[in-house]
């Protein structure tokens, strides 16, 4: 019994549009793909493939849609520079073994070779208690579906405002840590946790933090265009402590994802100790608040 939870992200704007999809190990890659497109608002009328990491066209192995795979059988394999597999015949479990996927590793997904809708999927979790024949399904999501797939995909900052009251509170630049702590005095805010504090001549400022309201929590990062929500945690039917625990887990996942992204960009390998170092402020804040056990 094994299933996998993949976080499928829209490459041009990964913090604003993503879907968590759980799929059994015995389901095919084609079945997995058939759940992605309707979840993000795309049709199924074009060719596609899934490849390694975020290599897209440069992937050493491509799991092609059945139509393209059948049409390419007549080609000369000697002239091919990549290994080609039929996505309708390879299971998710076989793909993870072939690519040596471990938690937080990535695959890429390219749909429609003309418009090139690019997504990548992070292996967020290996679920040993889920059935291997579990059909793919969305379990968590963020962002509106693509309304018109024939509008050119745009890179850069999202035009979605931050959730109130953050939109009216945060400046575009880093926030003084003292100001963040002041936010906890508001009746509707339970916890604020600085995560990336820098000492300046004017005192400590924060470039990353988590904030917890009564029924929702957010992890925010100060990217170049300004503040953006990178993770949102639903607190419905959770106690304050349960929501804080879920928010802390979201922070830890984000730190691991940052390490993966940095490693892909720099070619370096960041081990668990590096990721743990990013948790230092989180753990210190939890301890200070009396939640060191979370």
């Amino acid at each position: 019994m094994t299933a996998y939870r993949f976080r499928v992200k829209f490459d041009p704007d990964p913090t604003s549009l993503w879907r968590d999809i759980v799929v059994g190990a015995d389901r095919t890659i084609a079945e997995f793909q058939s759940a992605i497109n309707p979840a993000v608002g795309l049709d199924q009328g074009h060719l596609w493939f899934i490849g390694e990491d975020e290599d897209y066209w440069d992937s050493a192995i491509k799991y092609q849609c059945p139509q393209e795979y059948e049409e390419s059988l007549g080609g000369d394999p000697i002239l091919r520079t990549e290994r080609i597999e039929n996505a309708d015949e390879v299971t998710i479990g076989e793909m993870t073994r072939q690519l040596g996927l471990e938690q937080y590793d990535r695959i890429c997904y390219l749909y429609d070779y003309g418009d090139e809708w690019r997504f990548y999927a992070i292996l967020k979790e290996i679920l040993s208690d889920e059935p291997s024949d579990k059909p793919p399904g969305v379990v968590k999501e963020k962002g509106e579906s693509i309304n018109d797939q024939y509008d050119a995909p745009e890179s850069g900052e999202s035009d979605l405002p931050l959730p109130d009251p953050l939109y009216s509170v945060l400046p575009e630049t880093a926030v003084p840590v003292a100001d963040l702590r002041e936010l906890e005095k508001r009746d509707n805010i339970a916890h604020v946790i600085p995560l990336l504090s820098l000492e300046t001549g004017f005192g400590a400022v924060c470039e990353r933090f988590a904030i917890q309201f009564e029924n929702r929590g957010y992890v925010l990062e100060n990217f170049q265009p300004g503040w953006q929500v990178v993770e949102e945690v639903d607190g419905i039917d959770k106690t304050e402590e349960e929501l804080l625990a879920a928010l802390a887990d979201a922070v830890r996942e984000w730190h691991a994802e940052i390490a993966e992204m940095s490693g892909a960009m720099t070619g370096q390998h960041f081990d668990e100790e590096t990721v743990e170092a990013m948790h230092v402020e989180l753990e210190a804040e939890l301890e200070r608040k009396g939640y060191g056990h979370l």
Side-chain angles (χ1 to χ4, degrees):
M1 293 179 58
T2 305
Y4 301 90
R5 177 168 68 94
F6 287 93
R7 177 158 295 179
V8 181
K9 294 197 167 196
F10 183 39
D11 195 348
D13 197 359
T15 62
S16 296
L17 174 56
W18 53 259
R19 303 287 186 261
D20 276 7
I21 298 177
V22 172
V23 57
D26 292 342
R27 294 291 179 170
T28 66
I29 296 172
E31 289 177 296
F32 177 46
Q33 184 274 343
S34 70
I36 295 175
N37 278 29
V40 299
L42 296 176
D43 64 18
Q44 290 281 22
H46 299 273
L47 300 180
W48 56 268
F49 70 80
I50 283 176
E52 290 184 291
D53 195 42
E54 289 182 89
D55 294 339
Y56 297 101
W57 291 111
D58 295 328
S59 297
I61 180 170
K62 293 178 182 174
Y63 301 95
Q64 290 180 339
C65 62
Q67 177 186 352
E68 183 180 14
Y69 180 81
E70 292 169 4
E71 292 175 351
S72 68
L73 289 179
D76 188 345
I78 297 177
L79 299 179
R80 293 176 185 158
T81 59
E82 69 279 309
R83 175 180 161 193
I84 301 298
E85 298 278 356
N86 187 346
D88 204 25
E89 296 178 353
V90 180
T91 66
I92 296 297
E94 289 170 338
M95 179 189 71
T96 60
R97 290 190 292 273
Q98 290 174 3
L99 299 181
L101 294 183
E102 297 180 353
Q103 191 176 26
Y104 305 123
D105 286 344
R106 302 178 179 212
I107 55 176
C108 63
Y109 167 50
L110 191 145
Y111 176 74
D112 186 347
Y113 298 167
D115 286 338
E116 290 196 11
W117 291 90
R118 295 186 177 218
F119 296 80
Y120 62 87
I122 301 168
L123 177 54
K124 298 288 282 187
E125 190 176 6
I126 300 173
L127 305 167
S128 58
D129 56 347
E130 292 283 355
S132 297
D133 62 350
K134 184 180 182 68
V138 177
V139 296
K140 189 176 180 181
E141 61 184 71
K142 179 182 178 183
E144 295 294 327
S145 296
I146 298 165
N147 291 323
D148 186 350
Q149 72 182 71
Y150 299 106
D151 286 344
E154 296 180 1
S155 303
E157 69 175 295
S158 167
D159 58 0
L160 295 176
L162 296 175
D164 287 333
L166 298 178
Y167 186 64
S168 59
V169 171
L170 293 179
E172 292 186 359
T173 57
V175 174
V177 172
D179 290 352
L180 289 178
R181 299 203 190 284
E182 283 294 313
L183 289 177
E184 286 189 319
K185 295 180 180 180
R186 300 191 178 195
D187 292 338
N188 63 335
I189 297 177
H191 299 286
V192 181
I193 302 176
L195 298 170
L196 182 59
S197 299
L198 308 170
E199 288 294 334
T200 71
F202 304 98
V205 297
C206 190
E207 298 278 2
R208 181 188 307 146
F209 72 92
I211 187 167
Q212 178 178 335
F213 297 91
E214 181 179 354
N215 291 319
R216 196 157 297 275
Y218 300 94
V219 181
L220 293 106
E221 184 91 22
N222 188 26
F223 296 104
Q224 188 174 6
W227 287 94
Q228 293 183 34
V229 175
V230 294
E231 294 290 345
E232 180 178 345
V233 180
D234 189 353
I236 299 298
D237 298 327
K238 288 186 177 71
T239 65
E240 177 185 321
E241 182 172 339
E242 288 172 340
L243 177 53
L244 180 59
L247 188 59
D249 286 341
V251 170
R252 295 182 183 108
E253 286 190 8
W254 175 236
H255 286 167
E257 191 170 330
I258 290 171
E260 288 292 325
M261 288 189 290
S262 298
M265 292 173 62
T266 64
Q268 301 180 48
H269 172 68
F270 296 98
D271 56 21
E272 292 183 5
E273 291 184 0
T274 304
V275 178
E276 287 296 325
M278 286 192 280
H279 300 338
V280 169
E281 281 188 278
L282 170 66
E283 309 303 342
E285 284 292 304
L286 291 175
E287 189 69 37
R288 183 179 68 85
K289 294 171 180 292
Y291 294 99
H293 57 285
L294 297 181

